[in-house]
Amino acid sequence: MVDLSLLLWAAIPPLLLLGYYYFRVPFAPPLLKLLMFFIIGAISGLLALRLEWVFEIVANSFVDWHQIERWLPGIALRQLVEIGPIEEGCKLTAVVVPTYYLQHRYRLLPSSVFLFTIAVALGFTAEENWIYLFHDTASILARSIGTPVHAMFSAPWGYALGIYISSHTRLNRDKKFIFRAWLNSVICHALVNVLSSAARYSIPVSFLTYSLFPFLLWMFWRLEQLLRKVQGKPVIILISDRTRQRRYWQRGLVLFALVLGGNAIFGLFLLVRKISPLSPSKLFDTYILWFIFSRFLLNLFFGVLAWGIYRYLRHSARRRYF
């Protein structure tokens, strides 16, 4: 019997994020259509799970597929050959098939196709959340924090597909652009999973984990930039100076802001994960309160510093642009 509470915890965060993007996009498709794509995305998640199971049965007939996960390069190989292509392929199919039907009845905007991609990715996330929560292999907090990740993976090919479908002249190079964007999504998907797996290994490999959240922050930034582009809005420029020395300086600041901001989020995530097993009465102990307060302030400081760098770069770019 399905646990209704687990189902709600799995579905509500993705649905809330879908509503957030729905209200942000002018001329968005009807909400019922987005919910249809959300459900199709959840079905594509079940299909991906089945295909991965079949793939591993076939792969194990040739090599010990599970043994390769003892080493980080083996995890990277599995992510690039199995997980990334199957999951991104299922999501792409879940967008293309119903969109092919809808484009014969409606004039689809690039922003509509991009929203369809987000809806499918979030439906895929809801299905994945339920699997993890049902088998008790991840916490509700961890799955909630990871809610936008699949949408961030699929954003490049969602953008490319939206441009292709809404174009009056569909050229062969546009199809190649979709494939390159899909391949980019597969590589980013694999890289995130590899970085998140690095924590189980000893030093210095485990230090790779500290690049995970900065990379996720960059992918979220890319998602927001692509969303602006499909709406016809100008992208936000942070690197604007034409002199080489100034460009290197601005790129360094962008990288520094990503490292600070990403690891500030990572630090808060680790803080919540450490205190979540404690009983409510323990949280009021002097030592525990000081630990929570000091770690929160430290990560807040890094987060505010990253935001300050971002605002500085935006202000500098605007001043030079105008």
Side-chain angles (χ1 to χ4, degrees):
M1 186 176 178
V2 177
D3 189 330
L4 183 59
S5 64
L6 289 183
L7 194 60
L8 289 175
W9 277 114
I12 287 177
L15 284 172
L16 288 175
L17 190 58
L18 179 60
Y20 168 73
Y21 281 110
Y22 169 74
F23 286 111
R24 280 186 59 191
V25 177
F27 310 109
L31 189 57
L32 283 177
K33 280 191 174 61
L34 288 181
L35 290 175
M36 178 192 73
F37 276 90
F38 183 89
I39 294 170
I40 293 173
I43 296 171
S44 74
L46 293 171
L47 176 62
L49 193 64
R50 181 70 176 179
L51 289 175
E52 288 166 2
W53 178 71
V54 172
F55 181 95
E56 294 196 358
I57 289 177
V58 174
N60 277 320
S61 63
F62 297 98
V63 295
D64 192 346
W65 193 245
H66 294 290
Q67 280 290 111
I68 68 172
E69 289 195 85
R70 292 190 174 186
W71 298 276
L72 199 63
I75 292 179
L77 177 64
R78 179 172 179 261
Q79 294 297 326
L80 284 170
V81 173
E82 177 191 346
I83 305 300
I86 289 177
E87 294 191 359
E88 293 305 318
C90 286
K91 286 187 286 182
L92 178 61
T93 304
V95 175
V96 169
V97 173
T99 301
Y100 178 79
Y101 168 75
L102 289 174
Q103 70 176 339
H104 292 295
R105 302 182 60 186
Y106 307 99
R107 174 65 180 165
L108 296 177
L109 299 172
S111 57
S112 297
V113 179
F114 196 75
L115 273 180
F116 292 158
T117 302
I118 291 176
V120 164
L122 291 174
F124 192 102
T125 301
E127 177 275 334
E128 196 174 71
N129 286 349
W130 184 78
I131 294 294
Y132 277 100
L133 296 178
F134 180 78
H135 292 284
D136 198 24
T137 52
S139 65
I140 292 173
L141 171 69
R143 296 309 306 172
S144 297
I145 289 175
T147 296
V149 171
H150 272 289
M152 284 151 37
F153 291 153
S154 304
W157 61 255
Y159 169 77
L161 189 64
I163 296 301
Y164 174 75
I165 288 176
S166 62
S167 175
H168 293 287
T169 56
R170 297 176 182 176
L171 303 176
N172 189 49
R173 68 170 182 268
D174 295 328
K175 290 184 179 179
K176 293 180 180 178
F177 179 44
I178 294 173
F179 174 75
R180 290 198 300 269
W182 177 83
L183 190 61
N184 180 288
S185 297
V186 169
I187 293 171
C188 288
H189 192 143
L191 184 56
V192 166
N193 287 346
V194 169
L195 292 176
S196 63
S197 301
R200 72 178 73 164
Y201 297 95
S202 58
I203 296 172
V205 175
S206 61
F207 285 140
L208 289 173
T209 308
Y210 290 98
S211 61
L212 173 61
F213 275 76
F215 186 62
L216 289 173
L217 193 58
W218 173 79
M219 285 204 302
F220 180 75
W221 167 261
R222 182 178 66 174
L223 168 65
E224 289 292 312
Q225 293 284 69
L226 293 175
L227 180 62
R228 292 179 67 89
K229 290 177 74 172
V230 295
Q231 295 180 78
K233 297 179 180 178
V235 296
I236 297 173
I237 298 173
L238 296 182
I239 301 172
S240 61
D241 206 296
R242 294 184 180 181
T243 62
R244 180 178 298 181
Q245 187 175 3
R246 288 284 297 177
R247 280 204 308 270
Y248 286 152
W249 164 249
Q250 290 172 337
R251 287 172 184 169
L253 283 179
V254 169
L255 180 61
F256 188 50
L258 286 172
V259 171
L260 285 176
N263 283 297
I265 299 171
F266 184 43
L268 292 174
F269 170 71
L270 290 178
L271 174 62
V272 174
R273 195 167 69 175
K274 284 180 180 178
I275 65 174
S276 57
L278 299 176
S279 62
S281 59
K282 283 284 186 182
L283 295 177
F284 293 98
D285 289 351
T286 305
Y287 173 76
I288 300 297
L289 275 176
W290 172 247
F291 175 79
I292 295 172
F293 183 70
S294 60
R295 292 300 177 89
F296 176 78
L297 283 183
L298 179 64
N299 289 294
L300 181 63
F301 170 75
F302 289 139
V304 171
L305 184 57
W307 177 253
I309 295 172
Y310 166 75
R311 297 301 301 176
Y312 163 75
L313 288 169
R314 280 204 68 180
H315 177 71
S316 177
R318 283 177 178 173
R319 186 175 55 195
R320 291 183 178 276
Y321 183 77
F322 290 107

